[in-house]
Amino acid sequence: MAFIKNIFLNVLSGASFTIAALLVAVAYSDRVHPADHPLLACAGMLMPVFLIANLIMLMLWLMVKWRRAWIPIAGFIIAFPATRTYLPLHLSSDPPAGAIKVMTYNVAHYNRGGQGEPSLDTIHEYVRRQNADIVCMQEDWSFMKDTTRYASLYPYNDTVHVSRPRSKYINALGIHTRYPIVAKERIRYDSEANGSAAFYLLIDGDTVLVINNHLESTHLSKDDRERYADIINGSMDREAATAKTRMLIGKLSTAMATRSRQAEAVHHYIESHRRYPIIVCGDFNDTPISYVRRTIANGLTDCFVESGNGLGISYNQRGFVFRIDHIMCSNHYGPHGCFVDSHITASDHYPVVCWLLKR
């Protein structure tokens, strides 16, 4: 019996070491450039899988042989920075007096209501109730739908079209705010229907740079998304799941490589405009553990990581449990109470809201 027990413990130790090592590798996969190692760069999507697997190992060791619990514990400690990024935890508190309220929201062209109905009325009413000081929107077609809607809520409204001429896709970045817009500028990078725009706002005598982003999408079709959900749920046979997984990884890694170049362009723009207080927001189309988020967040504060709670899932399609919409700021501001509002389903994204207090 002792011999069999030793074999079992050794096998369990090997499995535990492997899971802990993979957790660490996934946690630091955002250091890998997608253009150089596209497959490894996608590993951040597996962060919850290995967190759960390592937690199961920890519970097993505590029941079987507690002295070996150091293996999963070491994995958790080494991966802690990424775990905190993926799953931050903070005590909730009321927004401080004098903080400005910022919201970012991909409104999906106002074409995805609760029953697939046009959602301009729903979103407009939601924005009115939120009463934010700065609202950044992606896929904002309000300029085509009804140009007076947001003018009734905000004195300053602007839209930057980011689609190429004659593109079959139409995309625009909108900003609706209480503060004067004194200038705007496109951040140049190659894309057919995605983009980033810098808006300069006059806030209490300071010029504040607000960068609104819609980075390259994954280009997954509706069928791709449904098959992905089937793979995650285990409802697809093994051979079909393997083939579909390879195809999905190919599409995801190609889009990630494209986004990496776009993220670098945004980061370069930020670095060359450090003299201004900066707010960066939008749909990054990438997870918290990704080269794209890490590149843009370099030198900035990720508001959800610093003041949010939980996973903060901002994309509400079945199977895609990720936070891909973000708000970040320079050290001129301290973030408070950042949250993802999952109560409104008028888009395939949930809005992200945060309060920023001038330091």
Side-chain angles (χ1 to χ4, degrees), residues 50-171:
F50 288 106
L51 281 174
I52 293 170
N54 204 49
L55 180 61
I56 292 172
M57 279 297 176
L58 175 60
M59 292 188 294
L60 281 174
W61 282 127
L62 291 175
M63 290 186 294
V64 175
K65 195 175 182 66
W66 68 267
R67 287 185 178 87
R68 296 196 188 182
W70 70 266
I71 301 171
I73 290 174
F76 279 130
I77 291 173
I78 298 172
F80 176 74
T83 303
R84 180 176 177 273
T85 297
Y86 200 91
L87 187 67
L89 297 173
H90 297 92
L91 296 175
S92 59
S93 60
D94 294 331
I100 62 173
K101 187 177 182 180
V102 179
M103 179 167 71
T104 182
Y105 193 9
N106 183 325
V107 296
H109 309 299
Y110 301 99
N111 278 329
R112 186 189 179 277
Q115 303 297 325
E117 300 169 354
S119 54
L120 180 59
D121 292 341
T122 303
I123 291 174
H124 180 269
E125 175 58 21
Y126 173 80
V127 171
R128 185 193 66 79
R129 292 197 312 270
Q130 281 296 314
N131 196 31
D133 298 294
I134 301 172
V135 179
C136 289
M137 289 183 170
Q138 303 82 44
E139 301 184 16
D140 183 3
W141 282 21
S142 58
F143 67 95
M144 296 180 66
K145 303 284 185 177
D146 186 343
T147 57
T148 65
R149 284 297 182 95
Y150 290 109
S152 67
L153 300 181
Y154 292 97
Y156 305 100
N157 303 274
D158 208 339
T159 305
V160 172
H161 301 214
V162 294
S163 304
R164 288 177 183 168
R166 296 182 295 279
S167 171
K168 63 179 180 179
Y169 304 106
I170 299 177
N171 196 0

